[in-house]
Amino acid sequence: MHQLLMAVALLMPIKDSSVSGTIELKQEKGFVLVTGEVKGLTPGLHGFHIHEFGDLRSPDGMSAGGHYNPHKKPHGRPAAHERHEGDLGNIEANADGVAKFNLRAMGLDLSKVLGRGLVVHANPDDFSQPVGNAGPRVAVGVIGVAEVKSATAAK
């Protein structure tokens, strides 16, 4: 069995939201590189987390469940030893409402989050307990397997 190397999530707006984006996740040694662009945000910081379920059925995004936390650790900053595995911290939108980011999710195994939800929140994650007080969800997507393209594979 091959190791999962790349995944992608297309973020869809929650009701009364216009937030959308594309997130790529790449497995590296000891971490997952998370890169992307999210549009339609209010300027400033927004909580960004992997959630338990890739369930998009509820219009408010609550069907995605809580933060992905298989080891039952407290909520924390992305660099903290004690944190939910789904704690990715904050992304920052510029004055045009666009957040472009490139972050490392340390210790994350991409194969364990496949099919789970990726959520952007309305407010900043303040890293308080139990889940960071980031407010309502404004966009949600499902982490899916991405095609890995190489220069030689295109021929």
Side-chain angles (χ1 to χ4, degrees):
M1 177 109 186
H2 294 286
Q3 178 185 13
L4 178 63
L5 298 176
M6 290 281 298
V8 64
L10 297 178
L11 297 178
M12 300 176 2
I14 298 301
K15 68 174 182 175
D16 302 325
S17 168
S18 60
V19 177
S20 63
T22 303
I23 314 301
E24 293 182 353
L25 301 96
K26 182 179 180 189
Q27 183 70 60
E28 300 285 354
K29 188 172 184 170
F31 66 93
V32 171
L33 181 63
V34 182
T35 58
E37 180 175 289
V38 179
K39 300 177 181 178
L41 293 163
T42 57
L45 296 174
H46 297 270
F48 185 53
H49 309 104
I50 297 171
H51 282 244
E52 296 173 285
F53 309 117
D55 185 344
L56 308 180
R57 290 180 286 181
S58 65
D60 62 359
M62 295 304 289
S63 57
H67 295 177
Y68 175 61
N69 186 19
H71 304 294
K72 308 297 183 223
K73 294 191 176 185
H75 181 63
R77 296 178 186 277
H81 178 68
E82 291 288 311
R83 65 173 176 79
H84 303 156
E85 282 191 40
D87 289 342
L88 300 178
N90 290 300
I91 57 174
E92 186 169 7
N94 63 21
D96 296 323
V98 178
K100 293 183 181 183
F101 51 90
N102 182 337
L103 55 92
R104 291 179 177 205
M106 301 307 296
L108 192 64
D109 180 344
L110 189 55
S111 67
K112 301 252 166 83
V113 297
L114 192 65
R116 299 191 184 281
L118 196 57
V119 175
V120 177
H121 293 268
N123 303 321
D125 184 335
D126 66 7
F127 308 106
S128 62
Q129 299 304 320
V131 294
N133 201 31
R137 299 157 193 213
V138 294
V140 64
V142 178
I143 300 169
V145 176
E147 179 181 10
V148 179
K149 296 182 180 183
S150 68
T152 57
K155 297 187 177 183

